PDB file of all heavy atoms in Angstrom:
ATOM      1  N   CYS Q1300     -17.471-138.588  19.421  1.00 88.00           N
ATOM      2  CA  CYS Q1300     -17.692-138.863  20.835  1.00 88.00           C
ATOM      3  C   CYS Q1300     -16.346-138.778  21.551  1.00 88.00           C
ATOM      4  O   CYS Q1300     -15.473-139.618  21.309  1.00 88.00           O
ATOM      5  CB  CYS Q1300     -18.321-140.251  20.980  1.00 88.00           C
ATOM      6  SG  CYS Q1300     -18.748-140.738  22.639  1.00 88.00           S
ATOM      7  N   ARG Q1301     -16.175-137.731  22.377  1.00 90.00           N
ATOM      8  CA  ARG Q1301     -14.933-137.512  23.121  1.00 90.00           C
ATOM      9  C   ARG Q1301     -13.692-137.493  22.214  1.00 90.00           C
ATOM     10  O   ARG Q1301     -12.649-138.047  22.545  1.00 90.00           O
ATOM     11  CB  ARG Q1301     -14.759-138.549  24.212  1.00 90.00           C
ATOM     12  CG  ARG Q1301     -15.787-138.470  25.298  1.00 90.00           C
ATOM     13  CD  ARG Q1301     -15.454-139.391  26.418  1.00 90.00           C
ATOM     14  NE  ARG Q1301     -16.512-139.332  27.411  1.00 90.00           N
ATOM     15  CZ  ARG Q1301     -16.463-139.962  28.546  1.00 90.00           C
ATOM     16  NH1 ARG Q1301     -15.423-140.700  28.847  1.00 90.00           N
ATOM     17  NH2 ARG Q1301     -17.457-139.869  29.399  1.00 90.00           N
ATOM     18  N   GLY Q1302     -13.851-136.927  21.039  1.00 90.00           N
ATOM     19  CA  GLY Q1302     -12.732-136.814  20.108  1.00 90.00           C
ATOM     20  C   GLY Q1302     -12.527-138.011  19.203  1.00 90.00           C
ATOM     21  O   GLY Q1302     -11.688-137.981  18.319  1.00 90.00           O
ATOM     22  N   PHE Q1303     -13.284-139.084  19.416  1.00 94.00           N
ATOM     23  CA  PHE Q1303     -13.204-140.263  18.559  1.00 94.00           C
ATOM     24  C   PHE Q1303     -14.381-140.258  17.582  1.00 94.00           C
ATOM     25  O   PHE Q1303     -15.426-139.681  17.853  1.00 94.00           O
ATOM     26  CB  PHE Q1303     -13.282-141.555  19.386  1.00 94.00           C
ATOM     27  CG  PHE Q1303     -12.118-141.768  20.300  1.00 94.00           C
ATOM     28  CD1 PHE Q1303     -12.205-141.427  21.638  1.00 94.00           C
ATOM     29  CD2 PHE Q1303     -10.935-142.319  19.827  1.00 94.00           C
ATOM     30  CE1 PHE Q1303     -11.145-141.629  22.495  1.00 94.00           C
ATOM     31  CE2 PHE Q1303      -9.864-142.522  20.675  1.00 94.00           C
ATOM     32  CZ  PHE Q1303      -9.960-142.175  22.013  1.00 94.00           C
ATOM     33  N   GLU Q1304     -14.201-140.933  16.457  1.00 92.00           N
ATOM     34  CA  GLU Q1304     -15.289-141.121  15.499  1.00 92.00           C
ATOM     35  C   GLU Q1304     -15.859-142.504  15.750  1.00 92.00           C
ATOM     36  O   GLU Q1304     -15.142-143.503  15.674  1.00 92.00           O
ATOM     37  CB  GLU Q1304     -14.755-141.006  14.072  1.00 92.00           C
ATOM     38  CG  GLU Q1304     -14.189-139.629  13.790  1.00 92.00           C
ATOM     39  CD  GLU Q1304     -13.080-139.643  12.755  1.00 92.00           C
ATOM     40  OE1 GLU Q1304     -12.519-140.717  12.472  1.00 92.00           O
ATOM     41  OE2 GLU Q1304     -12.773-138.567  12.244  1.00 92.00           O
ATOM     42  N   VAL Q1305     -17.144-142.566  16.093  1.00 93.00           N
ATOM     43  CA  VAL Q1305     -17.786-143.859  16.329  1.00 93.00           C
ATOM     44  C   VAL Q1305     -18.751-144.137  15.179  1.00 93.00           C
ATOM     45  O   VAL Q1305     -19.458-143.259  14.706  1.00 93.00           O
ATOM     46  CB  VAL Q1305     -18.501-143.925  17.706  1.00 93.00           C
ATOM     47  CG1 VAL Q1305     -17.510-143.775  18.838  1.00 93.00           C
ATOM     48  CG2 VAL Q1305     -19.580-142.884  17.841  1.00 93.00           C
ATOM     49  N   TRP Q1306     -18.706-145.371  14.724  1.00 92.00           N
ATOM     50  CA  TRP Q1306     -19.470-145.788  13.562  1.00 92.00           C
ATOM     51  C   TRP Q1306     -20.406-146.930  13.944  1.00 92.00           C
ATOM     52  O   TRP Q1306     -20.121-147.680  14.868  1.00 92.00           O
ATOM     53  CB  TRP Q1306     -18.536-146.311  12.466  1.00 92.00           C
ATOM     54  CG  TRP Q1306     -17.518-145.336  11.990  1.00 92.00           C
ATOM     55  CD1 TRP Q1306     -16.319-145.054  12.567  1.00 92.00           C
ATOM     56  CD2 TRP Q1306     -17.595-144.518  10.829  1.00 92.00           C
ATOM     57  NE1 TRP Q1306     -15.642-144.114  11.832  1.00 92.00           N
ATOM     58  CE2 TRP Q1306     -16.407-143.774  10.759  1.00 92.00           C
ATOM     59  CE3 TRP Q1306     -18.553-144.356   9.836  1.00 92.00           C
ATOM     60  CZ2 TRP Q1306     -16.154-142.869   9.738  1.00 92.00           C
ATOM     61  CZ3 TRP Q1306     -18.289-143.460   8.819  1.00 92.00           C
ATOM     62  CH2 TRP Q1306     -17.110-142.728   8.773  1.00 92.00           C
ATOM     63  N   GLY Q1307     -21.446-147.081  13.196  1.00 93.00           N
ATOM     64  CA  GLY Q1307     -22.299-148.254  13.282  1.00 93.00           C
ATOM     65  C   GLY Q1307     -22.365-148.861  11.895  1.00 93.00           C
ATOM     66  O   GLY Q1307     -22.831-148.212  10.960  1.00 93.00           O
ATOM     67  N   HIS Q1308     -21.858-150.053  11.749  1.00 91.00           N
ATOM     68  CA  HIS Q1308     -21.857-150.710  10.442  1.00 91.00           C
ATOM     69  C   HIS Q1308     -22.825-151.878  10.418  1.00 91.00           C
ATOM     70  O   HIS Q1308     -23.011-152.568  11.418  1.00 91.00           O
ATOM     71  CB  HIS Q1308     -20.459-151.222  10.095  1.00 91.00           C
ATOM     72  CG  HIS Q1308     -19.518-150.136   9.712  1.00 91.00           C
ATOM     73  ND1 HIS Q1308     -18.205-150.374   9.439  1.00 91.00           N
ATOM     74  CD2 HIS Q1308     -19.688-148.800   9.545  1.00 91.00           C
ATOM     75  CE1 HIS Q1308     -17.611-149.241   9.127  1.00 91.00           C
ATOM     76  NE2 HIS Q1308     -18.486-148.276   9.190  1.00 91.00           N
ATOM     77  N   ALA Q1309     -23.411-152.094   9.257  1.00 93.00           N
ATOM     78  CA  ALA Q1309     -24.285-153.237   9.007  1.00 93.00           C
ATOM     79  C   ALA Q1309     -23.618-154.070   7.913  1.00 93.00           C
ATOM     80  O   ALA Q1309     -23.466-153.613   6.790  1.00 93.00           O
ATOM     81  CB  ALA Q1309     -25.663-152.768   8.564  1.00 93.00           C
ATOM     82  N   ILE Q1310     -23.237-155.283   8.266  1.00 93.00           N
ATOM     83  CA  ILE Q1310     -22.515-156.152   7.337  1.00 93.00           C
ATOM     84  C   ILE Q1310     -23.485-157.225   6.822  1.00 93.00           C
ATOM     85  O   ILE Q1310     -23.985-158.023   7.604  1.00 93.00           O
ATOM     86  CB  ILE Q1310     -21.322-156.818   8.060  1.00 93.00           C
ATOM     87  CG1 ILE Q1310     -20.424-155.737   8.666  1.00 93.00           C
ATOM     88  CG2 ILE Q1310     -20.555-157.724   7.117  1.00 93.00           C
ATOM     89  CD1 ILE Q1310     -19.501-156.250   9.739  1.00 93.00           C
ATOM     90  N   PRO Q1311     -23.775-157.243   5.508  1.00 95.00           N
ATOM     91  CA  PRO Q1311     -24.703-158.244   4.988  1.00 95.00           C
ATOM     92  C   PRO Q1311     -24.217-159.666   5.268  1.00 95.00           C
ATOM     93  O   PRO Q1311     -23.050-159.987   5.050  1.00 95.00           O
ATOM     94  CB  PRO Q1311     -24.719-157.974   3.481  1.00 95.00           C
ATOM     95  CG  PRO Q1311     -24.267-156.557   3.340  1.00 95.00           C
ATOM     96  CD  PRO Q1311     -23.297-156.341   4.454  1.00 95.00           C
ATOM     97  N   GLN Q1312     -25.140-160.501   5.792  1.00 93.00           N
ATOM     98  CA  GLN Q1312     -24.830-161.894   6.110  1.00 93.00           C
ATOM     99  C   GLN Q1312     -26.063-162.756   5.891  1.00 93.00           C
ATOM    100  O   GLN Q1312     -26.983-162.730   6.709  1.00 93.00           O
ATOM    101  CB  GLN Q1312     -24.364-162.032   7.569  1.00 93.00           C
ATOM    102  CG  GLN Q1312     -23.063-161.349   7.848  1.00 93.00           C
ATOM    103  CD  GLN Q1312     -22.553-161.644   9.250  1.00 93.00           C
ATOM    104  OE1 GLN Q1312     -23.313-161.941  10.159  1.00 93.00           O
ATOM    105  NE2 GLN Q1312     -21.254-161.576   9.419  1.00 93.00           N
ATOM    106  N   ASP Q1313     -26.094-163.488   4.813  1.00 93.00           N
ATOM    107  CA  ASP Q1313     -27.177-164.434   4.532  1.00 93.00           C
ATOM    108  C   ASP Q1313     -28.573-163.831   4.705  1.00 93.00           C
ATOM    109  O   ASP Q1313     -29.429-164.387   5.396  1.00 93.00           O
ATOM    110  CB  ASP Q1313     -27.046-165.681   5.415  1.00 93.00           C
ATOM    111  CG  ASP Q1313     -25.757-166.443   5.159  1.00 93.00           C
ATOM    112  OD1 ASP Q1313     -25.325-166.484   3.984  1.00 93.00           O
ATOM    113  OD2 ASP Q1313     -25.184-166.987   6.120  1.00 93.00           O
ATOM    114  N   GLY Q1314     -28.807-162.684   4.091  1.00 95.00           N
ATOM    115  CA  GLY Q1314     -30.124-162.056   4.152  1.00 95.00           C
ATOM    116  C   GLY Q1314     -30.377-161.251   5.418  1.00 95.00           C
ATOM    117  O   GLY Q1314     -31.449-160.669   5.577  1.00 95.00           O
ATOM    118  N   ARG Q1315     -29.450-161.215   6.317  1.00 97.00           N
ATOM    119  CA  ARG Q1315     -29.550-160.420   7.540  1.00 97.00           C
ATOM    120  C   ARG Q1315     -28.342-159.484   7.585  1.00 97.00           C
ATOM    121  O   ARG Q1315     -27.568-159.419   6.639  1.00 97.00           O
ATOM    122  CB  ARG Q1315     -29.579-161.336   8.764  1.00 97.00           C
ATOM    123  CG  ARG Q1315     -30.790-162.282   8.713  1.00 97.00           C
ATOM    124  CD  ARG Q1315     -30.930-163.065   9.977  1.00 97.00           C
ATOM    125  NE  ARG Q1315     -31.561-162.170  10.966  1.00 97.00           N
ATOM    126  CZ  ARG Q1315     -31.487-162.344  12.274  1.00 97.00           C
ATOM    127  NH1 ARG Q1315     -30.813-163.362  12.781  1.00 97.00           N
ATOM    128  NH2 ARG Q1315     -32.075-161.508  13.104  1.00 97.00           N
ATOM    129  N   TYR Q1316     -28.169-158.787   8.690  1.00 95.00           N
ATOM    130  CA  TYR Q1316     -27.078-157.824   8.812  1.00 95.00           C
ATOM    131  C   TYR Q1316     -26.352-158.005  10.138  1.00 95.00           C
ATOM    132  O   TYR Q1316     -26.981-158.023  11.193  1.00 95.00           O
ATOM    133  CB  TYR Q1316     -27.608-156.385   8.725  1.00 95.00           C
ATOM    134  CG  TYR Q1316     -28.241-156.108   7.391  1.00 95.00           C
ATOM    135  CD1 TYR Q1316     -29.597-156.349   7.172  1.00 95.00           C
ATOM    136  CD2 TYR Q1316     -27.477-155.625   6.334  1.00 95.00           C
ATOM    137  CE1 TYR Q1316     -30.171-156.113   5.937  1.00 95.00           C
ATOM    138  CE2 TYR Q1316     -28.044-155.387   5.097  1.00 95.00           C
ATOM    139  CZ  TYR Q1316     -29.387-155.635   4.908  1.00 95.00           C
ATOM    140  OH  TYR Q1316     -29.949-155.414   3.686  1.00 95.00           O
ATOM    141  N   GLY Q1317     -25.035-158.125  10.041  1.00 95.00           N
ATOM    142  CA  GLY Q1317     -24.214-158.201  11.238  1.00 95.00           C
ATOM    143  C   GLY Q1317     -23.904-156.801  11.736  1.00 95.00           C
ATOM    144  O   GLY Q1317     -23.572-155.921  10.951  1.00 95.00           O
ATOM    145  N   ALA Q1318     -24.041-156.588  13.042  1.00 95.00           N
ATOM    146  CA  ALA Q1318     -23.752-155.288  13.647  1.00 95.00           C
ATOM    147  C   ALA Q1318     -22.279-155.221  14.027  1.00 95.00           C
ATOM    148  O   ALA Q1318     -21.731-156.165  14.585  1.00 95.00           O
ATOM    149  CB  ALA Q1318     -24.607-155.089  14.892  1.00 95.00           C
ATOM    150  N   SER Q1319     -21.654-154.076  13.726  1.00 94.00           N
ATOM    151  CA  SER Q1319     -20.260-153.866  14.060  1.00 94.00           C
ATOM    152  C   SER Q1319     -20.071-152.412  14.463  1.00 94.00           C
ATOM    153  O   SER Q1319     -20.738-151.532  13.923  1.00 94.00           O
ATOM    154  CB  SER Q1319     -19.384-154.197  12.852  1.00 94.00           C
ATOM    155  OG  SER Q1319     -18.044-153.890  13.115  1.00 94.00           O
ATOM    156  N   GLY Q1320     -19.165-152.169  15.416  1.00 94.00           N
ATOM    157  CA  GLY Q1320     -18.948-150.805  15.895  1.00 94.00           C
ATOM    158  C   GLY Q1320     -17.499-150.407  15.933  1.00 94.00           C
ATOM    159  O   GLY Q1320     -16.874-150.485  16.985  1.00 94.00           O
ATOM    160  N   PRO Q1321     -16.924-149.993  14.812  1.00 93.00           N
ATOM    161  CA  PRO Q1321     -15.538-149.516  14.825  1.00 93.00           C
ATOM    162  C   PRO Q1321     -15.414-148.113  15.415  1.00 93.00           C
ATOM    163  O   PRO Q1321     -16.328-147.302  15.323  1.00 93.00           O
ATOM    164  CB  PRO Q1321     -15.133-149.531  13.361  1.00 93.00           C
ATOM    165  CG  PRO Q1321     -16.393-149.539  12.588  1.00 93.00           C
ATOM    166  CD  PRO Q1321     -17.463-150.086  13.463  1.00 93.00           C
TER     167      PRO Q1321
END
Side-chain angles (χ1 to χ4, degrees):
C1300 183
R1301 294 188 183 185
F1303 294 98
E1304 297 151 343
V1305 297
W1306 301 83
H1308 286 176
I1310 304 162
Q1312 294 187 334
D1313 298 324
R1315 299 187 79 201
Y1316 297 89
S1319 175

